[in-house]
Amino acid sequence: MTDAVGERRPAGELEASVLAALCAADQPQSAADVRAAIPQELARTTVATLLARLHEKGAVGRSPGRRGFLYFALEDSHGLTAQRMHRELDQDDDRSTVLARFVEGLSAADEAELKRLLEGGGR
């Protein structure tokens, strides 16, 4: 949670908390279940909105429950980050330039890791 009144949370902090709660659960969760499992004090409707947005992004699945939907993780936080990276890349017509600029900004360690992964090194 934030300390100062009116201070905004870092982008993705709430989504990451919601995803972590869903990943830790052994069964699909309602918005109320997720609300109880995350450290932030949020209204159930806020959690329901976050879950709906994560569903639209393809990060969570849902099925009908007794009162509303039950949600389950399809992606972990790393998968969601990768999806955002793909969406950003898809928004530009010159993929080669975007990729080149991305690689130019990598640290030497990240560049070596990317090279290892591209050569089939896996995780």
Side-chain angles (χ1 to χ4, degrees):
M1 212 150 85
T2 57
D3 295 330
V5 174
E7 185 180 331
R8 294 188 59 89
R9 293 174 182 88
E13 176 187 316
L14 294 178
E15 285 185 353
S17 290
V18 168
L19 277 175
L22 289 175
C23 288
D26 58 351
Q27 60 187 6
Q29 302 289 295
S30 68
D33 295 332
V34 172
R35 178 181 177 225
I38 62 175
Q40 297 90 344
E41 293 183 23
L42 301 173
R44 187 201 55 77
T45 54
T46 301
V47 175
T49 299
L50 286 165
L51 288 164
R53 288 181 182 164
L54 286 167
H55 181 259
E56 290 171 6
K57 293 177 182 181
V60 302
R62 69 181 182 193
S63 59
R66 289 177 52 166
R67 294 179 358 162
F69 291 106
L70 297 176
Y71 294 88
F72 49 93
L74 296 174
E75 292 281 354
D76 60 10
S77 62
H78 304 298
L80 187 57
T81 299
Q83 283 182 357
R84 283 196 308 266
M85 292 169 71
H86 282 287
R87 276 196 305 275
E88 289 298 322
L89 184 58
D90 290 344
Q91 290 179 9
D92 199 299
D93 292 335
D94 190 354
R95 294 174 76 90
S96 180
T97 299
V98 172
L99 287 168
R101 297 232 173 113
F102 177 76
V103 171
E104 288 169 3
L106 292 175
S107 68
D110 286 344
E111 189 173 339
E113 179 64 10
L114 181 59
K115 184 176 180 179
R116 186 185 71 75
L117 290 167
L118 289 171
E119 290 172 348
R123 287 207 256 167

